[in-house]
Amino acid sequence: MIRRVLITGSSGFIGGHVLRAARTAEDVRLRLLVRTTPAAPDPEVEYAHGDLTDPASLRGACADVDAVVHCAGLIGGDAELLRRANDLGTRALADEARRAGVERFVYLSTAAVHGRGPFRDARPGAVPVAPASDTSRTRAAAEEHVLASGGTVLRPHLVHGRGDRWVIPGILALLRTLGGLPDGWAGLQSMIDADTLGRVAFAAATKGPADAGGRVHYVTHPDPVPGELLLSTVAETFGLFAGGAPRISAETARQRVLDHPAARHHLGMLAVDHWFTDESLWSGLGVDPGAGFVARFPEYADWYRGQAGLPPLGVIAGFEKTR
């Protein structure tokens, strides 16, 4: 039987990985929601034109579709535009899917809807939603619309891999600002590579029990990554420190990031536990989470090295060991 799947945000970070996963599946007919048709359209793909900030433009986008994987949305920027795209746009798309009789609706959200932590071995439903930014607030509102319509919400925490412009670039900026590695103060972090996340999102729309809607799942590798191991792996992969990395105390770290907002944000996040657990996701969808961060990250090192806009890579020298 041919399954008809609509993907939103297919030109973005996670949506692109969902699209790649979908292309490997058999008996799938793809429809992509786009604002403008690509310069070189794929003849095997159907395009539906629509804009989340214009609910009327979404009419008919879900007609004759079996499943929707909704990855589109805005991160940062004007609060009202975030509300229109993430909150009201998702509500309009979910309403359109319900009118069209779509069987499954999967929304790619974020564990950031819980706020700043700490979270340790948190299970679905055990942690309150307490967003701390306009982006997270509007994505939490979007979740409510999806769950009310019987859809499924996926919440990753830190996503790395091809297309990542935030997690690893931010860690690199933090390491260069600190001039060393944490001295015992970094928390556990739940992570997932974008390839696996794309496969999970597509599987949630096409596999598993038919009554699996109306649920929230954390999409994180079963093994959380100790923060010090996370930072040391990134530092070693890119050869940031010559002759051993200095160890930086928590207080020194806080002082060194005071004038660096991006590094300060990542320090605040990585200093506490963000560990989310959901074994039922993997068993229910039959997706293998694969190797953890330390084993997988070197696969993406060359991609990160080739990206313009990353902090200059290379050895950091001249820092004395500070405790």
Side-chain angles (χ1 to χ4, degrees):
M1 181 182 72
I2 294 178
R3 292 163 293 173
R4 295 154 297 183
V5 180
L6 171 70
I7 301 174
T8 76
S10 60
S11 63
F13 175 29
I14 305 305
H17 287 273
V18 175
L19 177 57
R20 280 187 279 277
R23 289 186 185 279
T24 67
E26 297 180 354
D27 299 327
V28 170
R29 182 174 298 163
L30 292 175
R31 180 183 299 171
L32 307 182
L33 182 68
V34 297
R35 284 181 290 185
T36 58
T37 303
D42 185 339
E44 297 184 0
V45 169
E46 179 185 355
Y47 296 94
H49 295 88
D51 187 328
L52 290 174
T53 63
D54 179 10
S57 72
L58 302 177
R59 282 283 181 168
C62 299
D64 300 319
V65 163
D66 299 305
V68 172
V69 185
H70 180 31
C71 304
L74 294 181
I75 298 177
D78 179 73
E80 176 58 22
L81 187 58
L82 285 166
R83 187 180 78 91
R84 289 172 56 200
N86 297 343
D87 177 356
L88 303 183
T90 297
R91 182 177 69 182
L93 185 64
D95 287 346
E96 184 63 25
R98 185 166 52 243
R99 279 193 294 270
V102 172
E103 297 173 2
R104 300 191 186 194
F105 191 108
V106 177
Y107 175 54
L108 207 297
S109 185
T110 171
V113 298
H114 294 301
R116 305 196 187 282
F119 308 108
R120 189 174 182 85
D121 197 17
R123 313 278 171 146
V127 182
V129 172
S133 70
D134 290 332
T135 297
S136 296
R137 275 188 284 275
T138 55
R139 295 179 82 176
E143 288 188 359
E144 294 183 9
H145 302 315
V146 172
L147 293 172
S149 68
T152 298
V153 170
L154 303 181
R155 291 177 185 158
H157 176 43
L158 298 182
V159 185
H160 66 99
R162 297 173 186 85
D164 166 33
R165 304 282 180 175
W166 184 77
V167 173
I168 300 304
I171 289 174
L172 284 166
L174 174 62
L175 287 168
R176 294 181 69 83
T177 303
L178 295 181
L181 294 172
D183 189 17
W185 48 259
L188 287 167
Q189 304 299 322
S190 283
M191 304 193 71
I192 191 72
D193 67 275
D195 292 325
T196 302
L197 178 54
R199 290 191 290 112
V200 168
F202 181 71
T206 56
K207 297 181 180 179
D211 61 349
R215 298 182 186 178
V216 174
H217 288 290
Y218 295 124
V219 192
T220 64
H221 193 277
D223 300 322
V225 185
E228 293 191 28
L229 180 59
L230 169 57
L231 270 68
S232 65
T233 297
V234 174
E236 291 170 10
T237 299
F238 294 108
L240 291 186
F241 302 106
R247 294 289 164 172
I248 308 299
S249 70
E251 179 56 31
T252 298
R254 284 192 289 269
Q255 292 299 317
R256 289 188 177 175
V257 302
L258 285 177
D259 298 326
H260 303 273
R264 188 167 67 245
H265 177 276
H266 269 63
L267 176 67
M269 176 178 65
L270 297 174
V272 299
D273 291 332
H274 288 84
W275 172 17
F276 303 93
T277 303
D278 192 348
E279 299 95 339
S280 66
L281 173 79
W282 305 103
S283 59
L285 295 178
V287 177
D288 181 2
F293 173 78
V294 174
R296 291 295 304 272
F297 183 65
E299 299 177 24
Y300 308 115
D302 286 344
W303 181 87
Y304 282 110
R305 288 189 183 99
Q307 300 312 297
L310 287 189
L313 302 180
V315 172
I316 298 174
F319 289 95
E320 296 180 358
K321 189 171 183 178
T322 305
R323 290 188 180 274

